[in-house]
Amino acid sequence: MTLMLIFMIVTNPFYEANFSSLPMRSLSVFSNPAGLGINKGAEIFGTYQPDPDIIVAGISLANLGLGMKKVTDHTTHYEIGSGYKLPGAFSFGYAYQFGDISKHIFGVEARVTKKLALGYKTTIGTKYHMFGGISIRPFEEYLTLSCDLEYEGIDSIFTYYWGAMFMPIKGMKLYFRADEDFKWDTGLELSFGKIRIAGSYCEEEEKMSGGILLSAQTYETFIPKKNKITTLTLSGDYPEIRKKSFFGIPFKAEQGYTKLLNNLESLKDRDDIHVVVVKVKNSKLGAAQIEELNNTLTRLKNSGKKIVFFADNYHSTLTYGLACAGDEILLSPLGSIKIPGLAM
């Protein structure tokens, strides 16, 4: 039984699930519960390996995880766990496995830097089954090198596993894994954004296994992204506090100009937005406001967003100066430009 459990651990077609330093969200189930506290979200995965039929499924919601592992009709066990991310690099997790077996598991992950991750997990009891490992990314996410050491106290087994994952393009991963006896498997993962599929081939068993993962979060994908556009219209004045009234009776006050700046700043972290179109219609922004808005748009452009200005007319030095912060300046076919001191 012990050897079968070890074999099951190292044949997940998703690379991250096989090393204690890498899993997060649903792939932490039956791997390292500490990963449930990293980049929390809603996610579900399932894998299948034939002959003997091995089915593994896991689901994560926030920092909680639940999983099921079944080998033909003889062995079935379940896991429920939770992970918590501390300020800084460390995450801790606990899981309880029950069914045909019963054990408590404690795990730790440390994302020290973007290029270095550490992991450790152990059963809690009189006889230990421990994994400890390291993963390094010398070329950021394009290459991941991993190694895990395993000590199983019941039969006094000490062994190690190592692997490498190469990402030639975003959303496509090729990997290779092996143990100390060089029994290896290799595989491919593809990401479609919120869906990931994986397949692997085991050299010793001469068999394939596969898996699918569905996530509420978006992974990097090999599918080219469409340039999504958001539009901002500058019209009228923008007081610091905008007051609303009903029949002349004020009933609500909300941020005006400050809200405009905050909305623009938030676009820097929106991966789904690539182009910002600014439409100018009778804007009454003051000189100080335009200068601050110009600085905000420049930061937005430096974050990788394309800024496009459009107006029916440019009849103000201030308005045209603001438009110069963009990548392109568009004018209505029937429009005109009238700037003192500039001859067209």
Side-chain angles (χ1 to χ4, degrees), residues 15-35:
Y15 181 85
E16 300 101 308
N18 298 280
F19 295 96
S20 60
S21 56
L22 291 178
M24 67 178 186
R25 291 200 287 265
S26 65
L27 293 178
S28 304
V29 178
F30 293 116
S31 180
N32 187 343

Side-chain angles (χ1 to χ4, degrees), residues 249-309:
I249 302 175
F251 69 94
K252 185 179 181 181
E254 62 181 16
Q255 290 182 334
Y257 182 66
T258 303
K259 183 179 180 180
L260 171 66
L261 296 178
N262 290 338
N263 289 341
L264 285 172
E265 289 284 358
S266 67
L267 294 178
K268 292 193 299 184
D269 300 322
R270 291 279 301 274
D271 293 333
D272 58 326
I273 299 297
H274 298 272
V275 181
V276 180
V277 177
V278 182
K279 294 184 177 179
V280 182
K281 293 185 176 180
N282 300 319
S283 173
K284 298 180 181 179
L285 289 168
Q289 289 179 319
I290 284 183
E291 182 179 359
E292 189 173 4
L293 184 57
N294 188 306
N295 294 333
T296 302
L297 289 171
T298 300
R299 290 194 295 271
L300 185 60
K301 184 170 68 172
N302 292 338
S303 72
K305 310 299 183 185
K306 183 176 181 179
I307 312 294
V308 179
F309 269 81

Side-chain angles (χ1 to χ4, degrees), residues 166-180:
F166 173 60
M167 187 167 66
I169 60 174
K170 290 184 181 296
M172 178 183 293
K173 300 176 182 177
L174 305 171
Y175 60 84
F176 180 89
R177 296 188 302 259
D179 62 12
E180 63 177 341

Side-chain angles (χ1 to χ4, degrees), residues 13 21 30 34 44 60 64 76 130 144 180 212 231 247 249 251 285 287 295 299-300 310 312 317 324 328-329 339 342:
S21 56
F30 293 116
I44 184 171
S60 66
L64 301 175
T76 303
M130 297 182 289
T144 302
E180 63 177 341
I212 185 170
T231 301
F247 289 105
I249 302 175
F251 69 94
L285 289 168
N295 294 333
R299 290 194 295 271
L300 185 60
F310 174 83
D312 291 330
T317 305
C324 289
E328 294 183 18
I329 301 175
I339 301 176
L342 178 65

Side-chain angles (χ1 to χ4, degrees), residues 134-204:
I134 182 173
S135 291
I136 59 175
R137 292 187 170 99
F139 304 104
E140 297 183 348
E141 72 270 23
Y142 295 100
L143 178 64
T144 302
L145 306 175
S146 306
C147 182
D148 258 22
L149 303 178
E150 176 188 9
Y151 174 73
E152 196 274 300
I154 299 176
D155 299 315
S156 297
I157 296 175
F158 182 83
T159 188
Y160 64 86
Y161 310 93
W162 59 274
M165 180 176 66
F166 173 60
M167 187 167 66
I169 60 174
K170 290 184 181 296
M172 178 183 293
K173 300 176 182 177
L174 305 171
Y175 60 84
F176 180 89
R177 296 188 302 259
D179 62 12
E180 63 177 341
D181 298 321
F182 204 70
K183 296 175 182 177
W184 58 267
D185 64 298
T186 185
L188 169 68
E189 292 183 31
L190 295 175
S191 170
F192 298 88
K194 295 183 181 295
I195 301 175
R196 292 170 61 189
I197 60 173
S200 66
Y201 172 75
C202 178
E203 173 263 345
E204 182 184 22

